[in-house]
Amino acid sequence: MSEVIQRDTMLSYITGSVESSAESVAIRAINERGREDLENTPFPTRKDEDWRFVDLKSITKSQFCKLEEANAADVGDISDHYLPEAMNCRLVFVNGVYSEELSSVEDLPNNVIVGNLAANADNNSVKEHLGTITNYDDDVFAPFNDAAFTDGAFIYVPEETVVRTPIHILNVFTDAEKAFYATPRLLYVGEMFSKSTIIEEHIGLADNQYLNVPVTEFKMFTGSNVHHARIQRDSKKASHVSRPIAILDKNAEYHSYTICLGAKLFRNDPRVIQNAEEVNFTVDGLVLIDGDQIADTHSIMDHRFAHAGSHQLHKVVVNDSAHSVFNGKIFVAKDAQKIDSFQENRNLLLSENGKVNTKPQLEIFADDVLCSHGATIGQLQDEEVFYLQSRGLTEQKSRELLVYAFALESVESMEVESVEKLLLNEVIEYTNRDNK
Amino acid sequence: MLEIKNLHAKVEGEDIEILKGVNLKVNAGEIHAIMGPNGSGKSTLSKVVSGHPEYEVTEGEILFNGEDITELDADERAHLGLFLAFQYPVEVPGITNKTLLREAYNTIARANDREELDPLEFEDYITEKLDVIEMKDEFLSRSINTGFSGGEKKKNEIFQMAVLNPVLSFLDETDSGLDIDALKVVSDGVNKIANDENAIVMITHYQRLLNYIKPDYVHVMMAGKLIKSGGFELAEELEANGYDALEKELVLNGEAQ
Ligand SMILES: Nc1ncnc2c1ncn2[C@@H]1O[C@H](COP(=O)(O)OP(=O)(O)OP(=O)(O)O)[C@@H](O)[C@H]1O
Ligand SMILES: [Mg+2]
């Protein structure tokens, strides 16, 4: 008989119990399911293959409370963070709580819904899809969100409808006396041949510790198309564990770009699941970290049917003693022929103490498949630095430009001008920090 | 302007001495040519003068307008007006030619208390310089040397020289890889840039370049030293008889060590 070792659960790091206060029956049912999963799933340790490289201390050495007990500061004026392109198409969540006052949704095409989940709990699409898309085995974080969320963002784009204004989902986190947890939630339902652009942001307004565990679900019907930019600028003391997942019907396109700048610990598990033939998707990432930041991406591109094109460019810049982990799984099922999948992980190490772990993982059971993958870890090339310097640029400026050039490609896929500008400034700030 | 005295240099951190006592004096208004067999140290000399961190000066000095510059960084030397057209120009993806040149131009201007150019002024300035070597303006917005043909890379070096307007330029085998038409264009460009106040040192294997850009002095480099200097006729002699003949002649005359 083997010894049963009592392992900690997620709840070990949460003060008090996670009780549902959701009004909607549908949400309460998901809460209930989440709580059960939580109680039955041990919290990961480094012995778990998927967590081998990551130090989870920033979660396990703390206790996180409900927002109500944290004595959180007022949000103040955050209009600097509004996107000019999305002035009338913005949902704001403060510490995970919907703010009707700061949100602004006007002039959308007929029958498009951009609103909060609680207010739309009776919507058929919400009832049908909420909580049905997330699919993470042995996970504690998606269940934690399931157990604790009471509200979130809901976006519904009807058949043949194009939303031209980018939709801005702005999550801000304020200072607080105690470390709290937040469970932002986003459900997107794109009906046949619909199209939109989503900018999902996470911004820490202060320098405090909190735990941000968002779940985003994208249900993409036939021929629908989404451009999903995710910008993570959490506080440098925060822990952020993300569960973004998309499921694609025939001819659907889902293109996601995750930019990681903030958080002490960032763990991101994007998954794209093919639900029919002929889909197209992107799971790009850009990570700029320094200090003692950890950024870990575990992605799955799950090809289950024939004729898919998928693309993953994951670019990473590491400075100081920061640590990046990349594990990119590409699954191709037995009958999923004619898959064209591209994966590349490029790492730029700026310091001696920085660390990079990278592991592509291909599991291909079909034979007529084109899969390319590669990973590089490099430093700035001395010859490049000298070339620029010989033209009169200081060594610092030369290095700065080279890092900027490295990151540029990813930034240019944002498609929304103000977001590109904002990110370029972030890149410049990052490269400046590098040289102090 | 430039005075190199008994210059010895080795690869940084290793025991490989490459320059073994180079002496060279270049005055304003002069054009010099350095010829020599592969591996004799021509490129190394140009890199050591421009401040490449891969090499360490172990003896001798490099005086630029009387100031010893051996301890200066490459960018500080560029601020003084030194320029190197690379034998193998480096590809820098993601940074456009224009970005580099504006940054370089303004950094040099700042270091010399000259007026910087704002983006619009710089646009006009740089467009004018395109004519010097008949370059298409699309090259301005392309990443530095990325995907350029061999000839285009060489042209781009001279274009940068035209924009930065240096006092002393080393052109390291700018002629190799150029077809005859491009050679004429590039030579014309260099001749337009050359004046009484600046100086040019060309490194080449071929006399054909010297037919287009007339040097005042020709030097021969062998095994890390300039072993013979002369006028244009020295280049002709080399073209006719090769380096071996020259070496033998020097040995016979007891000039070579
Ligand atoms: N970083 C280095 N490490 C080791 N050896 C070096 C290094 N740089 C130059 N050398 C050696 O020094 C010698 C001179 O090289 P250099 O490039 O200066 O020759 P060159 O005269 O320019 O030749 P070419 O005509 O082929 O361009 C060569 O033997 C070369 O291999
Ligand atoms: Mg050479």
Side-chain angles (χ1 to χ4, degrees):
Chain A
M1 219 177 82
S2 68
E3 205 179 333
V4 179
I5 301 167
Q6 187 66 43
R7 279 175 67 176
D8 286 341
T9 68
M10 180 84 197
L11 296 167
S12 317
Y13 314 113
I14 304 298
T15 46
S17 59
V18 179
E19 293 293 340
S20 175
S21 58
E23 272 171 35
S24 136
V25 179
I27 295 180
R28 271 214 306 277
I30 298 171
N31 293 156
E32 191 53 48
R33 185 188 76 193
R35 214 161 28 240
E36 257 171 46
D37 289 347
L38 264 192
E39 279 161 11
N40 297 322
T41 318
F43 195 77
T45 70
R46 292 189 136 180
K47 293 202 181 86
D48 297 293
E49 183 57 30
D50 272 353
W51 296 90
R52 248 176 67 196
F53 296 109
V54 204
D55 191 342
L56 284 167
K57 268 210 300 280
S58 55
I59 296 175
T60 57
K61 288 264 187 278
S62 309
Q63 286 283 313
F64 298 93
C65 67
K66 279 193 179 72
L67 179 66
E68 293 80 1
E69 292 158 13
N71 208 2
D74 281 344
V75 61
D77 181 6
I78 54 163
S79 54
D80 278 357
H81 296 299
Y82 297 166
L83 303 175
E85 293 91 341
M87 266 343 242
N88 295 323
C89 203
R90 176 182 65 247
L91 296 179
V92 177
F93 295 82
V94 179
N95 301 326
V97 177
Y98 175 61
S99 165
E100 191 170 357
E101 193 191 334
L102 300 176
S103 302
S104 163
V105 179
E106 281 167 33
D107 302 328
L108 287 177
N110 262 349
N111 302 323
V112 171
I113 302 174
V114 175
N116 63 319
L117 273 173
N120 289 280
D122 291 332
N123 181 290
N124 279 337
S125 288
V126 173
K127 282 199 266 190
E128 200 170 327
H129 301 294
L130 185 66
T132 66
I133 303 164
T134 36
N135 181 8
Y136 292 84
D137 291 339
D138 304 320
D139 185 33
V140 298
F141 294 100
F144 178 63
N145 183 297
D146 278 347
F149 87 103
T150 54
D151 201 354
F154 173 54
I155 301 169
Y156 176 81
V157 186
E159 240 177 88
E160 314 236 355
T161 305
V162 177
V163 184
R164 294 191 194 282
T165 321
I167 302 168
H168 190 196
I169 310 293
L170 178 57
N171 293 284
V172 294
F173 299 89
T174 67
D175 207 353
E177 273 172 26
K178 284 192 196 159
F180 60 89
Y181 62 81
T183 49
R185 187 102 186 184
L186 164 63
L187 172 66
Y188 181 97
V189 179
E191 296 284 2
M192 283 166 72
F193 304 105
S194 62
K195 189 171 182 194
S196 74
T197 297
I198 313 293
I199 311 287
E200 173 197 343
E201 270 196 288
H202 298 261
I203 302 177
L205 299 173
D207 188 30
N208 54 317
Q209 196 196 2
Y210 56 88
L211 174 63
N212 183 11
V213 186
V215 166
T216 69
E217 296 177 290
F218 280 74
K219 173 66 190 169
M220 308 288 300
F221 282 102
T222 300
S224 62
N225 187 316
V226 157
H227 181 98
H228 182 198
R230 308 173 60 227
I231 302 160
Q232 186 271 102
R233 295 192 282 155
D234 279 296
S235 127
K236 288 278 171 79
K237 292 201 184 114
S239 300
H240 178 140
V241 184
S242 258
R243 298 285 178 251
I245 189 163
I247 185 156
L248 276 59
D249 283 354
K250 192 164 177 170
N251 288 113
E253 292 198 26
Y254 172 77
H255 302 288
S256 79
Y257 307 85
T258 304
I259 313 282
C260 162
L261 298 156
K264 162 83 177 71
L265 167 71
F266 180 55
R267 168 66 183 241
N268 184 33
D269 289 33
R271 290 188 184 181
V272 182
I273 298 169
Q274 194 187 348
N275 201 32
E277 298 195 337
E278 288 175 63
V279 305
N280 222 302
F281 58 94
T282 307
V283 192
D284 280 4
L286 172 67
V287 173
L288 301 180
I289 47 175
D290 58 15
D292 58 357
Q293 287 181 282
I294 303 168
D296 177 356
T297 296
H298 269 64
S299 59
I300 295 182
M301 304 204 277
D302 197 353
H303 307 87
R304 296 182 182 176
F305 295 86
H307 298 283
S310 61
H311 180 280
Q312 180 172 41
L313 176 62
H314 190 73
K315 283 189 159 191
V316 176
V317 187
V318 167
N319 204 356
D320 305 329
S321 48
H323 180 188
S324 164
V325 182
F326 175 72
N327 178 281
K329 293 188 179 76
I330 299 179
F331 295 157
V332 180
K334 190 161 157 284
D335 296 323
Q337 305 293 357
K338 307 272 182 214
I339 302 294
D340 187 349
S341 185
F342 163 91
Q343 180 190 71
E344 195 181 338
N345 171 220
R346 290 176 58 194
N347 299 278
L348 185 56
L349 250 178
L350 299 178
S351 61
E352 274 178 17
N353 293 331
K355 224 163 76 180
V356 170
N357 298 106
T358 172
K359 183 179 166 197
Q361 200 175 324
L362 276 57
E363 293 180 21
I364 297 172
F365 298 102
D367 43 33
D368 186 9
V369 164
L370 198 68
C371 268
S372 71
H373 68 99
T376 56
I377 303 177
Q379 282 133 19
L380 289 180
Q381 296 297 309
D382 289 343
E383 279 311 308
E384 293 182 352
V385 176
F386 175 67
Y387 188 76
L388 301 182
Q389 224 184 325
S390 78
R391 298 301 181 245
L393 277 58
T394 60
E395 187 184 345
Q396 172 180 329
K397 188 73 204 179
S398 305
R399 291 181 181 279
E400 219 175 283
L401 265 183
L402 290 167
V403 174
Y404 180 88
F406 179 85
L408 191 66
E409 191 182 355
S410 311
V411 171
E412 282 176 343
S413 8
M414 286 300 112
E415 282 187 0
V416 177
E417 206 185 313
S418 67
V419 177
E420 285 181 12
K421 262 205 202 132
L422 173 153
L423 290 177
L424 288 181
N425 283 333
E426 289 280 352
V427 174
I428 291 169
E429 206 177 286
Y430 174 86
T431 55
N432 282 337
R433 223 161 31 220
D434 159 27
N435 291 292
K436 276 187 195 124
Chain B
M1 174 184 288
L2 176 74
E3 202 173 339
I4 298 175
K5 293 184 188 165
N6 188 32
L7 185 66
H8 291 253
K10 66 175 189 88
V11 178
E12 174 79 55
E14 279 172 59
D15 244 358
I16 313 168
E17 182 167 71
I18 303 173
L19 301 183
K20 300 171 179 165
V22 175
N23 291 291
L24 177 68
K25 199 170 168 181
V26 179
N27 295 310
E30 291 177 354
I31 295 180
H32 292 241
I34 297 178
M35 306 181 80
N38 293 127
S40 54
K42 304 179 300 297
S43 293
T44 304
L45 175 64
S46 70
K47 287 188 201 165
V48 169
V49 173
S50 5
H52 199 300
E54 197 164 282
Y55 305 99
E56 185 189 333
V57 172
T58 50
E59 212 183 315
E61 49 187 10
I62 309 167
L63 300 176
F64 189 66
N65 292 327
E67 182 194 352
D68 188 353
I69 59 167
T70 40
E71 293 298 314
L72 296 185
D73 287 342
D75 55 313
E76 296 169 312
R77 300 187 199 200
H79 301 166
L80 294 176
L82 270 148
F83 181 85
L84 169 61
F86 285 59
Q87 180 174 3
Y88 305 108
V90 180
E91 298 194 5
V92 192
I95 303 175
T96 65
N97 252 330
K98 201 197 287 180
T99 304
L100 166 66
L101 285 172
R102 192 157 77 84
E103 193 65 40
Y105 181 93
N106 282 335
T107 311
I108 294 172
R110 250 192 329 270
N112 290 284
D113 291 322
R114 285 198 310 262
E115 193 94 11
E116 293 182 41
L117 297 180
D118 68 32
L120 283 178
E121 292 168 332
F122 188 73
E123 189 77 38
D124 290 345
Y125 173 75
I126 199 171
T127 309
E128 205 176 284
K129 295 292 177 187
L130 283 169
D131 295 340
V132 175
I133 61 154
E134 298 176 15
M135 206 151 95
K136 286 192 226 108
D137 63 358
E138 67 184 52
F139 280 93
L140 294 178
S141 44
R142 277 177 61 179
S143 287
I144 304 163
N145 296 326
T146 310
F148 287 26
S149 72
E152 285 167 346
K153 284 182 184 167
K154 296 303 178 74
K155 265 177 101 168
N156 196 28
E157 294 292 285
I158 302 306
F159 171 62
Q160 296 184 11
M161 175 184 171
V163 171
L164 300 179
N165 200 17
V167 181
L168 173 67
S169 306
F170 273 78
L171 312 184
D172 191 356
E173 297 200 23
T174 300
D175 54 331
S176 19
L178 295 181
D179 62 33
I180 189 69
D181 292 331
L183 180 67
K184 278 184 196 157
V185 170
V186 166
S187 307
D188 274 356
V190 173
N191 285 327
K192 275 181 223 160
I193 299 168
N195 62 33
D196 289 348
E197 266 144 43
N198 59 25
I200 293 165
V201 180
M202 301 181 287
I203 293 167
T204 182
H205 288 286
Y206 306 105
Q207 192 203 319
R208 66 168 194 161
L209 171 71
L210 309 184
N211 293 333
Y212 293 101
I213 309 173
K214 275 271 170 307
D216 303 295
Y217 301 94
V218 175
H219 312 273
V220 179
M221 187 157 202
M222 272 194 190
K225 289 167 83 164
L226 298 180
I227 55 161
K228 187 165 184 179
S229 300
F232 187 69
E233 72 291 344
L234 183 54
E236 287 173 324
E237 190 186 322
L238 284 173
E239 189 100 343
N241 304 326
Y243 295 109
D244 287 348
L246 177 73
E247 204 172 7
K248 275 182 200 138
E249 172 203 326
L250 290 173
V251 173
L252 284 177
N253 296 342
E255 286 173 43
Q257 287 121 330

